[in-house]
Structure formats: structure tokens, C-alpha cells
Amino acid sequence: MSDPTDMMIADAGIDEGIKKLTPERIEQTIRHVLDNESAARMKVYLETCVHCGLCAEACHTYNSRDRDPDYAPVAKVKNTLWEMVKRKGKVDGPFLKNAARIAFTECGACRRCSMYCPFGIDIAYQIMTVRRICSLLGLVPQYLQDTTNSHAVTSNQMWVQPDDWIDTLMWQEEEAMSELSGARIPLDKEGADVFYSVIAPEPKILAQLIGNMAVIMKAANIDWTMPSADGWDNSNMAMYSGDFEVMGRVERAHWERAAQLRVKRIVMGECGHAYRGAVYDGPKWLAWKQPPIPMVHAVEFYYELIKSGKLVIKRKIEEPVTVQDPCNIVRGRGLHDKLRYVIKALCEDFRDMEPRHEHNYCCAAGGGVINCGPPWKLSRMKSIRCKADQLAATKASLIITPCHNCHSGIEDIIGHYKLGMHVKFINELLVKAIDLES
Amino acid sequence: MESYWIPFVWLAFVGLLGGTAFKIVQMGRLASREKTVFPTLDAKHGARSVLHWLLPFGTRNMRLRPFFTVVSFAFHACLLITPLFVMGHAVLWQQSWGISWWSLPAPVADFMSLVVVAGGLFFILRRIAAPQVRNVTTWSDYAIVLLVIAPFVTGFVAHQGWLPSKHAIALHIASGIAWLLAIPFTRLAHMFWFVFSRAYMGSEFGAVRNARDW
Ligand code: HEM
Ligand code: HEM
Ligand code: SF4
Ligand code: SF4
């Protein structure tokens, strides 16, 4: 049984949406998605699953909630998709409320379970299909829908206005200059080697990360630029709310801005879901064989800079450090070895996590889960107790998280489970560790 | 074996092969409607994943549950090998097609049949005892396991001569035919879907995302 208190959480985005539905609309929408937007994969997954439950222990929600069977990956599909298929789309409001809760708040589409199911059944894809249905029915958690609305209107996630964006960059350029003379944030520089893009929470609440990057770029002598207009935000919450039309639009804007500036490649800041959206989901939806310009994640970029000697580490971090392997760049890109290279270059006392690499647990914030907002925070914390245990076992005091979702998610975990640790992006450690003189 | 069984045995084999071919072609058509399936599939990474998942203890999940892994592999190995090489079948191949091949000594075949039955009973007990499995179980899951072990029970009984031979053989052949026909049309289709679904996931992890899925 799912946690009864979680089942009663009110969310206007879902609850008000349900009131507007008719049985015909529900049935038509579900059938449309199942018949027209999904084909072979869904069919094979539905036919192949032997109901063996071997995927259960892959999921942090199951492990964290005392092995409650309803949190096993297969059970999440059973309680949503299997029923929709079985009842041929004839489901009611209370069913949909529960399905939306499961799809948006109890699965972060982290894909860990696909590494535990012997058949490689893609539970995350099935859950994303449920989200798609919910989105078309107008049943998206209110906070998450707000980010999608922001993407639709401003093309960035947090209603950042064009003048605010430029203001923030100029302010951070000044900050960077006071750290390292000659540091600049070149806007719209055509033909630059690097187009740097960030997610909207950076200008909104973590602007110093942009300033840090300006210092790093100067220290490594990189020919780089940032765009002054739309397309600067690489985040994509519409991908997670199930609004794939807006998702495609956001990704296109990002790639087109870079193409317009004729840059050699895109480097993106420390974010996992943004990487996934830009490199996989976006191009897939847009039916591009591959994106027009190469793109690397910040971790790969730092790795290159350190390995090639462009950045020289002068002062290493001494306190005990561990790392959260973000799903979307480790399971999603295999960057774990490069990540460890960077961390070992930066830190004296590195203590690895167990399990690690592709087998690391999700932070429970990614996949749009944290974006479902305050109503769901306590539920999210209950679903991630195993991460608290995993972190505590490292006996580190600093956790490095090269992903915005992991960063916020793990900060929440530390607070909730009183772990007394703290969290940093690599960017923040780098500016303190590199040699700014030479 | 009475000759009136012959058309049914034909039906079983035609159903198995034809049904499987039909399913795979149909799925191939559907897959070409998806933007991702064929462009993603990659022989090297697909095979790499399939091999890891066919190798006992080749994956982390198998190492985390050694008892289950041994049971599952023993069950599947005996289930696939016994019917191919059991003496009773070898005789039939010989009689009807003139092909003769190696056959298992009777005590070994007996033992392997019992392994399948024991494995099946283990799966049933696990379904009842483990909440995460019971939660997603329907009557059909039990029925499938019973169907899968039925030819082994009846074959064993026939071989031991516990029932009048004619009745035992009749039960055995009927259950054997049902077994073969069920493969393409039930969850037992996992026998061939396994290769495709695993290879797809292996390709997505390996070729696209540069990661491992085992
Ligand atoms: C479809 C047509 C089938 C026919 C005509 C057939 C016929 C026979 C015959 C005549 C025997 C010998 C019994 C004895 O020794 O008195 C036998 C044994 C056996 N059959 Fe079949 N069979 C069929 C299908 C199957 C299938 C599908 C399976 C398993 C999946 C199977 C598994 C066995 C086993 C395991 C034994 C031997 C049991 C033991 O020696 O302990 N048979 N079968
Ligand atoms: C070579 C092809 C096959 C592969 C790779 C395969 C693989 C699997 C896997 C991975 C499972 C999940 C649970 C476990 O690990 O035991 C499973 C379960 C099962 N398989 Fe197979 N299988 C194959 C062929 C068959 C065939 C031919 C049959 C019978 C006709 C069969 C009958 C079963 C049954 C009854 C279960 C269910 C166990 C339960 O109830 O939990 N398998 N198979
Ligand atoms: S959260 Fe991750 S492990 Fe759990 S069901 Fe979703 S994809 Fe699977
Ligand atoms: S491990 Fe795979 S086959 Fe088994 S219940 Fe989970 S999804 Fe289904």
C-alpha cells in the first residue's frame, strides 16, 4: 500500500484538473497516447514483464520505505499503465490522481531499475508515458506546470526577463574581474570555441556560479561566449512534465542560438537533466539524427582543462569528500571516471560512495520530482532514506554534486536527516583551488 | 505414441515457429514506426549486454541474490535441454524422421525434469511469500508456471510407469503441445523478447550513453 498520508496530499495542479475532465476525454487521451505515441517498445515491455519483482530493490523509493511493495518499479507500472491498458482508458478521477502522484513524485525516471530487470524493461519510459497522458489531461503538479509555463512564455524555466539576464551577466562579470583581472563574460561572440549555457536557477538564485565560470575560463584562457538572448537556458522541465511540444521548442531554441553564433561547441554547466534534454530527449523529439554542434558537460570540460594542464591546481581541499554520481551524466553518459579524475585532482581525502558509478542511487530530486514543489517535499524525503544512509556511511563532510537537482536534493536530505554535511558544485571548489597567478 | 496425435504435434510445432515468426515480424513493423528503435540498436553493445545477462553471476543483481540466480539458471537450463535430448523424444525423432542424436541417460533426464519441477515450485512459493512479487501477481502467473512444469511432471510419470502408459503418455503429449503453443502467445514470449529488449537497453546504455547496464 502506498503511504496513505502521501496519497492525500493536495495539489491544485492535479486536483483542479481532474474536475474539468469527462470520461470521454480521459478515454480518448489515453488511447491516443497508447495507440499513436507508443509502439513496439511499449508492447514488448508489457508482454515481456514476467512479474518477477527483481527490479524492486533497484529503486530508492522501495528501499527507503521499508520495502513497501507498492514502491517497486513494476508496481508503479501496474498501478498506472497496466490498469489503463486493461480498462482500455476507462479510468476515473481518483485513479488518475494516484497515477499522477506515482508518475510525478514517486519515480524520477532515473533508469536504475533497467539495470536490474533481466529483460532491461524501461520502467522510466513507461512512467514518462503516464506523465505524457497526465500532461495532455492537464494533471500536472502545480509547481512543475509553472516551470513548463515559464519555458513556454520566456523559454527559460524561472521567468527570468531578458534585461535581468543581461544585468546578471554584467554583475557577475564585475565580480569575476575582482577575482581575476581580465576575466570577462563575452556576449554573442561569433565563432567562439565555447558556447557556455546554464540553467535558469543560476541567474535567479546562484549567480556566483556564472562568475566562477568566468574566472575559470580566463584562468584557462578559453575563447568563449554566452548568448544575450533566448536560448541561454539549457534546462527543460517540459521534458519532465510531459509537455513534449514545449520541450522540443526549448531544445530547438538552445541549439539554434548556438548554431547562429557559429560556435565550435557547447559546454553546459553542472546540471544533469539539462544534459539529458539537450543531447537525448530533445533531438529525439525533434527527429534529428544528431544535434548540430558537439556538446560537453562541465565535468568533461573540467577534466580536459586539468588533464591538459590548462588549469593548475594549487591548493587541494583537505576535508573528507564524497561524490554523488548524477544519474543523467553517469548512467546517462558514463562520466564517472572523468568525474573522479577531477575530484582526485581537487581533493586530498576522497571517499567513494557505495554503490557507485552506474549503480549509484538517484538523489530523488531529479526527473522533475523536486520541481513538484513544497507539497511533496516530505514525501520525497521519505523516499530517499537510503541515500541518507549511503552518504553517512562515507563519513565525508563535503559532498560534491555536479548537478543542480542532486545539489538541491542532497541539501534537503542533509537537512531532513540531520547529517551535518555540506554540498558544493565542482565550479565552487575549482575557483578556490586553481592557481590564479600564472 | 498413438498415430492420431501426429496432426496435433504438427500443429504445435507450426504454431510455435509460425507464431514466433509472426510476432517478430509484426513487432519489427511497429518498431520502424518509432524514431528510436532501429537507429539505436547496435550489434556490439547489444550483444555485450545480452551476454552479461545470459552468464550466471554476470550482473550485479544476480550477485546480490545468489540462491535465486542458481535456481533460475538451473530451471532454465534443464527446461531447454531436457526435452531436446530426453530418450523418449530421441526415439520419436528416430521413428518419424530417421534422425538420431545423442540422448541423455535416463537417470539424468529424470533428475533434470525434477529440477524443472522444483524450480517451478520455488517460483510459486516465492510469489506467495515475497510481498513485492505477490503484489504484481495475477492468477495467470501461477497458471503459466504450472503449464511450464506440466510436461515435466507428466513425462516423468510416464517414464516411471506410475500410470497406465497410454494415459500417462496422453497427458504428457497434451501438456507438451500446450507448452509449445503457449510460448509465442503468452508471457513465455520472454524467451525471444529477451534478446530484443535486452539488446535495445544494452545499445541505449552502451552505444548512446557510454555506460553499462549490468
Ligand atoms: C509435443 C509433443 C511431445 C511428445 C509426442 C512427447 C513424447 C514423449 C514420450 C513418448 C516420452 C517418453 C515417456 C516414457 O519414457 O515413457 C517423453 C518423455 C519426456 N518428455 Fe515429452 N513429448 C512431447 C513434448 C514435450 C515437451 C514440450 C516437453 C518439455 C518441455 C517434454 C518433456 C519430456 C520429458 C522431460 C520427458 C522425460 C521425463 C523423464 O524421463 O523423467 N515433452 N515425451
Ligand atoms: C533462452 C530463453 C530464456 C531466457 C533468457 C529466459 C529468461 C528468464 C528470466 C530472466 C526470467 C525472470 C526470472 C528469473 O530470472 O528466473 C524468467 C522467468 C521465467 N521463465 Fe524464462 N527464459 C527463457 C526461456 C524460457 C522458456 C522457454 C520457458 C518455458 C516455456 C520459460 C519459463 C519461465 C517461467 C515460468 C518464468 C517465471 C518465473 C516466475 O514465475 O517468477 N523461460 N525467464
Ligand atoms: S525512480 Fe528510478 S529506479 Fe525507481 S522506478 Fe523510477 S526509474 Fe526505476
Ligand atoms: S524485473 Fe523486469 S520483468 Fe521482473 S517485474 Fe520488474 S520489470 Fe517486470
Side-chain angles (χ1 to χ4, degrees):
Chain A
M1 238 309 258
S2 291
D3 187 325
T5 48
D6 294 346
M7 289 176 80
M8 280 159 49
I9 293 172
D11 186 314
I14 303 170
D15 303 337
E16 296 303 313
I18 285 176
K19 293 186 192 150
K20 298 185 197 131
L21 293 175
T22 59
E24 296 74 37
R25 174 147 172 238
I26 296 173
E27 190 184 339
Q28 274 166 14
T29 307
I30 294 178
R31 294 181 86 144
H32 163 74
V33 172
L34 293 179
D35 296 343
N36 303 329
E37 293 192 9
S38 60
R41 278 190 294 161
M42 185 61 82
K43 215 164 168 294
V44 167
Y45 295 151
L46 291 171
E47 263 187 43
T48 307
C49 176
V50 294
H51 311 171
C52 64
L54 290 174
C55 47
E57 277 135 20
C59 186
H60 54 272
T61 65
Y62 174 82
N63 292 337
S64 298
R65 292 180 180 256
D66 301 320
R67 305 164 56 85
D68 178 334
D70 264 351
Y71 292 85
V74 57
K76 295 177 199 175
V77 182
K78 173 196 155 196
N79 290 330
T80 55
L81 213 72
W82 289 3
E83 281 301 312
M84 292 181 184
V85 172
K86 199 162 95 190
R87 299 196 218 161
K88 300 200 167 62
K90 292 194 182 63
V91 296
D92 57 14
F95 172 88
L96 284 169
K97 160 100 191 199
N98 195 44
R101 182 186 64 80
I102 293 170
F104 287 108
T105 75
E106 287 304 344
C107 173
C110 77
R111 302 165 87 248
R112 190 175 192 266
C113 44
S114 300
M115 306 169 58
Y116 288 76
C117 166
F119 302 103
I121 289 178
D122 197 340
I123 302 274
Y125 160 75
Q126 293 177 294
I127 294 291
M128 291 301 283
T129 305
V130 177
R131 290 195 191 178
R132 172 67 173 165
I133 290 169
C134 291
S135 168
L136 292 176
L137 288 172
L139 308 178
V140 178
Q142 192 177 27
Y143 279 80
L144 181 60
Q145 185 59 47
D146 181 70
T147 58
T148 303
N149 294 348
S150 171
H151 275 306
V153 176
T154 67
S155 150
N156 72 71
Q157 186 199 134
M158 294 196 129
W159 304 101
V160 177
Q161 300 305 309
D163 51 343
D164 283 344
W165 167 242
I166 295 175
D167 260 7
T168 308
L169 294 184
M170 290 173 72
W171 161 46
Q172 283 306 313
E173 183 173 60
E174 276 173 33
E175 297 284 322
M177 279 172 168
S178 68
E179 289 283 324
L180 180 60
S181 79
R184 298 275 331 269
I185 300 182
L187 293 186
D188 298 332
K189 181 172 177 218
E190 281 199 28
D193 288 343
V194 166
F195 171 105
Y196 183 62
S197 64
V198 297
I199 75 172
E202 293 203 9
K204 196 86 179 179
I205 48 182
L206 291 160
Q208 73 279 13
L209 295 178
I210 301 176
N212 290 349
M213 205 60 187
V215 172
I216 292 168
M217 292 288 189
K218 174 66 190 167
N221 248 323
I222 303 293
D223 172 26
W224 72 301
T225 188
M226 290 184 81
S228 67
D230 284 359
W232 56 265
D233 181 11
N234 56 32
S235 76
N236 203 329
M237 281 305 139
M239 167 171 74
Y240 286 142
S241 74
D243 192 338
F244 299 153
E245 287 76 11
V246 170
M247 171 196 59
R249 206 142 62 74
V250 170
E251 294 305 339
R252 187 192 287 278
H254 180 228
W255 286 110
E256 280 184 349
R257 183 63 66 202
Q260 191 188 38
L261 292 175
R262 297 184 295 109
V263 294
K264 308 232 167 40
R265 61 174 178 166
I266 301 180
V267 171
M268 69 152 47
E270 294 173 51
C271 184
H273 96 273
Y275 190 84
R276 169 183 176 153
V279 178
Y280 304 125
D281 294 34
K284 222 188 258 180
W285 177 263
L286 294 167
W288 293 353
K289 191 139 195 261
Q290 61 189 47
I293 301 167
M295 164 153 156
V296 297
H297 186 267
V299 165
E300 278 173 286
F301 186 59
Y302 302 146
Y303 168 82
E304 279 173 28
L305 296 184
I306 296 174
K307 180 123 191 180
S308 65
K310 286 195 178 132
L311 280 184
V312 179
I313 307 297
K314 210 171 179 187
R315 290 163 298 272
K316 284 198 171 191
I317 314 292
E318 278 164 17
E319 64 177 307
V321 167
T322 189
V323 67
Q324 161 74 358
D325 285 302
C327 303
N328 283 318
I329 65 164
V330 169
R331 216 157 14 253
R333 192 55 170 186
L335 292 186
H336 43 276
D337 291 332
K338 290 184 177 169
L339 176 56
R340 279 166 183 70
Y341 179 92
V342 171
I343 289 173
K344 286 178 185 159
L346 279 172
C347 308
E348 297 277 5
D349 182 2
F350 171 57
R351 313 193 173 178
D352 218 330
M353 200 98 96
E354 184 57 47
R356 67 180 75 123
H357 302 168
E358 291 100 330
H359 289 277
N360 183 36
Y361 288 114
C362 174
C363 61
V369 178
I370 195 171
N371 305 76
C372 295
W376 301 98
K377 180 170 170 198
L378 189 59
S379 156
R380 177 162 55 86
M381 289 299 107
K382 290 189 235 168
S383 280
I384 195 64
R385 200 182 63 214
C386 70
K387 176 63 70 187
D389 298 338
Q390 197 193 6
L391 291 171
T394 65
K395 303 213 164 45
S397 58
L398 170 61
I399 304 157
I400 295 179
T401 56
C403 168
H404 276 275
N405 280 318
C406 297
H407 189 276
S408 316
I410 290 194
E411 259 181 354
D412 287 345
I413 294 169
I414 291 172
H416 185 83
Y417 290 99
K418 306 197 170 45
L419 297 180
M421 302 167 128
H422 66 129
V423 192
K424 288 253 185 289
F425 291 102
I426 297 177
N427 164 318
E428 298 172 277
L429 301 177
L430 257 181
V431 283
K432 296 221 177 67
I434 52 181
D435 189 355
L436 292 183
E437 264 78 73
S438 60
Chain B
M1 191 178 97
E2 317 287 337
S3 58
Y4 53 73
W5 283 110
I6 292 173
F8 294 101
V9 176
W10 271 106
L11 177 78
F13 280 98
V14 170
L16 170 68
L17 298 176
T20 304
F22 170 77
K23 282 278 197 173
I24 290 179
V25 170
Q26 183 199 37
M27 205 57 83
R29 288 237 179 87
L30 267 182
S32 58
R33 269 178 43 192
E34 280 187 64
K35 289 173 207 159
T36 49
V37 178
F38 287 113
T40 303
L41 276 173
D42 171 273
K44 182 177 136 215
H45 293 96
R48 193 176 75 159
S49 175
V50 168
L51 285 179
H52 271 91
W53 284 93
L54 284 179
L55 196 77
F57 299 101
T59 70
R60 184 170 190 263
N61 206 10
M62 292 182 201
R63 292 191 292 275
L64 289 176
R65 45 181 89 245
F67 181 72
F68 184 90
T69 304
V70 169
V71 174
S72 168
F73 275 90
F75 170 81
H76 280 94
C78 293
L79 173 141
L80 292 168
I81 294 168
T82 322
L84 289 176
F85 295 111
V86 67
M87 185 87 75
H89 294 183
V91 170
L92 292 175
W93 290 115
Q94 170 82 36
Q95 281 173 359
S96 42
W97 295 91
I99 356 177
S100 57
W101 64 49
W102 187 77
S103 64
L104 287 164
V108 177
D110 280 353
F111 175 74
M112 289 172 75
S113 305
L114 292 178
V115 169
V116 175
V117 177
L121 294 179
F122 166 78
F123 285 132
I124 289 181
L125 287 178
R126 179 173 174 270
R127 257 183 211 289
I128 298 168
Q132 79 275 24
V133 193
R134 190 172 60 231
N135 188 36
V136 291
T137 295
T138 58
W139 63 269
S140 65
D141 295 295
Y142 295 114
I144 284 179
V145 179
L146 292 175
L147 171 68
V148 167
I149 63 177
F152 295 87
V153 174
T154 53
F156 185 83
V157 168
H159 184 73
Q160 304 302 322
W162 292 343
L163 283 179
S165 162
K166 202 176 147 188
H167 297 162
I169 297 279
L171 282 175
H172 175 69
I173 299 178
S175 62
I177 291 171
W179 193 95
L180 294 169
L181 281 176
I183 290 180
F185 304 109
T186 65
R187 274 193 287 288
L188 296 179
H190 73 266
M191 176 177 175
F192 49 89
W193 289 148
F194 165 80
V195 181
F196 296 96
S197 61
R198 190 81 254 169
Y200 179 78
M201 195 40 84
S203 306
E204 211 179 282
F205 266 75
V208 182
R209 300 176 204 267
N210 193 27
R212 292 168 306 177
D213 64 334
W214 56 83

